Amino acid sequence: MPVARGETIDPARTRARVVATLEPLLYEHGIDGIGVSALCEAAGISKETLYRHFGSKDGLVEAVLQQRSDRVLQWLHAAASGAGDDPADQLAAIFDALDGWYAEPAFRGCAIVNASTQGRGGTAPGVAEIHLDRYRDLFRAIAVRAGSRDPDLVATQLLVVVEGATVVSDQLRLPGAAAAAKDAALALLRASL
Amino acid sequence: MPVARGETIDPARTRARVVATLEPLLYEHGIDGIGVSALCEAAGISKETLYRHFGSKDGLVEAVLQQRSDRVLQWLHAAASGAGDDPADQLAAIFDALDGWYAEPAFRGCAIVNASTQGRGGTAPGVAEIHLDRYRDLFRAIAVRAGSRDPDLVATQLLVVVEGATVVSDQLRLPGAAAAAKDAALALLRASL
DNA sequence: CCAAGATGGTACCGGACAGTACCAACAACT
DNA sequence: AGTTGTTGGTACTGTCCGGTACCATCTTGG
């Protein structure tokens, strides 16, 4: 089949579809764990199309990671918002959401941190920093509204707990890791008042 | 130059020297970030020697990771022991030691976790689990001696904090991450009594 | 002094991978 | 209808990497 299938030809739409399709694949296999040819086959596009849209494999990876960071942060903000107005409840809701993620069979740790660890040099410089900073901003806002004495400190501590829980859940497959992290996060927030 | 240089021919000694020499190199560049030829050149050995000793690149990596895990755990045990008998002091000493590590320019996160993240499949299955379990045992012993109500929970939480601090320090280069983690660890231990 | 084992050097093989070129087919706008 | 632009298919290139083979050289132990 030569061109667009049922849908109209639209480069932006093609690009978005490719990013959405390839995101879970790159997450599952790792950036160096899957070749460009396999990615193209999975996305149903030719290599030429991929390189016209993204310039290089690194360009594709950066686009995928950017969208993933956006999606994850939106998801956590939604989880917090849906838990009412109490900062502690919102914090608990975030860790409950993470617990569900950790339990998924496809869970492989934090995609952005994994990518940064794998691709030392070249791949997505700054994406990881921005991602973690946004995480920290989310926690800082919660700490501020909870009335913490040192919101920056608490935000860093909560970021540490989240990233640690992610790593431990991934490496050790401890089912209780998220619950322990949630307990720790609430204790740290409480201790900061 | 053909054979052993100044030292006597001794396969075990050669193997140990190779592991010690290549450990920092594999840590710095990542497992897939440096080729076997470069490793041999750096170690001053031929490819044939490397493959006779380790069988494959994965075999070399596993040997390096095993030794690194041993070294790190010994180092932390020593830091704890050197801080006296108070469990809280020992915990603080561990995080102070980590703080020094995080500040090193060569710091690249946890080598074992990095390797596990990079080499999905084939590379060192189980090394990461064992490493984190040993970490957790160290913390559990501290929690027990401190009189925590639930030493297993505290051990998991402290493991989460350590791994999180390592990731955050690596990705974000936050100088205060270790101090925040130390503060969090002590608060969690205190809250568990 | 000689046999056996450990080693370094080098060249090589096969495969995988990122990236490119060329072409035919199809859609959208005029 | 035709022109322009987007796409899929395929073949190809150059490169790098893990791993193997062969050989000369040196130490070690008898």
Side-chain angles (χ1 to χ4, degrees):
Chain A
M1 317 107 218
V3 188
R5 323 79 121 170
E7 309 192 345
T8 58
I9 282 190
D10 181 350
R13 199 171 295 265
T14 299
R15 184 189 160 102
R17 176 174 53 87
V18 168
V19 169
T21 306
L22 262 29
E23 202 226 83
L25 259 158
L26 282 165
Y27 179 52
E28 177 184 357
H29 296 97
I31 295 171
D32 291 335
I34 186 166
V36 172
S37 301
L39 290 171
C40 288
E41 192 178 1
I45 62 170
S46 68
K47 283 181 136 191
E48 185 161 348
T49 300
L50 190 145
Y51 279 98
R52 202 178 325 107
H53 275 294
F54 302 100
S56 66
K57 187 180 185 181
D58 280 352
L60 167 68
V61 168
E62 188 172 337
V64 166
L65 259 39
Q66 212 108 39
Q67 133 142 352
R68 180 161 184 117
S69 176
D70 292 346
R71 208 164 52 76
V72 168
L73 265 295
Q74 262 181 314
W75 172 59
L76 290 179
H77 271 283
S81 299
D85 288 336
D86 183 46
D89 287 345
Q90 295 185 343
L91 190 58
I94 289 175
F95 278 89
D96 286 337
L98 289 171
D99 197 9
W101 180 34
Y102 296 163
E104 289 175 19
F107 174 65
R108 293 276 189 292
C110 174
I112 287 104
V113 169
N114 288 356
S116 172
T117 298
Q118 287 164 3
R120 291 267 164 203
T123 303
V127 174
E129 285 91 327
I130 293 170
H131 183 65
L132 294 195
D133 272 336
R134 293 207 274 178
Y135 245 112
R136 211 156 74 101
D137 289 342
L138 169 62
F139 288 134
R140 187 186 297 113
I142 290 177
V144 166
R145 281 185 302 113
S148 297
R149 283 170 318 209
D150 190 344
D152 280 343
L153 175 67
V154 178
T156 300
Q157 290 177 332
L158 294 178
L159 175 64
V160 163
V161 170
V162 161
E163 290 300 321
T166 303
V167 169
V168 171
S169 294
D170 182 33
Q171 300 291 335
L172 225 47
R173 295 283 151 184
L174 255 186
K182 173 182 169 182
D183 184 88
L186 292 174
L188 290 170
L189 184 66
R190 219 179 305 124
S192 76
L193 302 180
Chain B
M1 320 103 216
V3 189
R5 355 355 206 272
E7 310 193 344
T8 59
I9 282 188
D10 181 349
R13 199 170 296 264
T14 299
R15 185 188 160 101
R17 177 173 53 87
V18 169
V19 169
T21 305
L22 296 185
E23 202 224 84
L25 259 158
L26 282 165
Y27 178 52
E28 177 184 358
H29 296 96
I31 295 172
D32 292 335
I34 186 166
V36 172
S37 301
L39 290 170
C40 288
E41 192 178 0
I45 62 171
S46 67
K47 282 181 142 195
E48 185 161 349
T49 300
L50 189 145
Y51 280 98
R52 201 181 323 110
H53 276 293
F54 301 100
S56 66
K57 188 180 184 180
D58 280 353
L60 166 69
V61 168
E62 188 171 338
V64 166
L65 258 40
Q66 212 109 40
Q67 132 140 355
R68 181 161 183 117
S69 176
D70 291 348
R71 207 163 51 76
V72 169
L73 265 294
Q74 263 182 316
W75 173 58
L76 290 180
H77 272 283
S81 299
D85 288 336
D86 181 46
D89 287 346
Q90 295 186 342
L91 191 58
I94 288 175
F95 278 88
D96 286 337
L98 290 171
D99 197 9
W101 180 34
Y102 297 161
E104 289 176 18
F107 173 65
R108 293 278 189 289
C110 174
I112 288 104
V113 169
N114 288 356
S116 172
T117 299
Q118 288 165 0
R120 292 266 164 203
T123 302
V127 172
E129 284 92 326
I130 293 170
H131 184 65
L132 294 196
D133 273 336
R134 291 207 274 179
Y135 245 113
R136 210 156 73 101
D137 289 343
L138 169 62
F139 288 134
R140 188 189 294 112
I142 289 177
V144 166
R145 280 185 302 112
S148 297
R149 284 169 318 208
D150 191 344
D152 280 342
L153 175 67
V154 178
T156 300
Q157 290 177 333
L158 294 178
L159 175 63
V160 163
V161 170
V162 162
E163 291 301 321
T166 303
V167 168
V168 170
S169 294
D170 182 32
Q171 300 290 336
L172 226 46
R173 295 282 152 185
L174 256 186
K182 172 182 171 183
D183 183 88
L186 292 174
L188 290 170
L189 183 66
R190 219 179 305 122
S192 76
L193 302 181

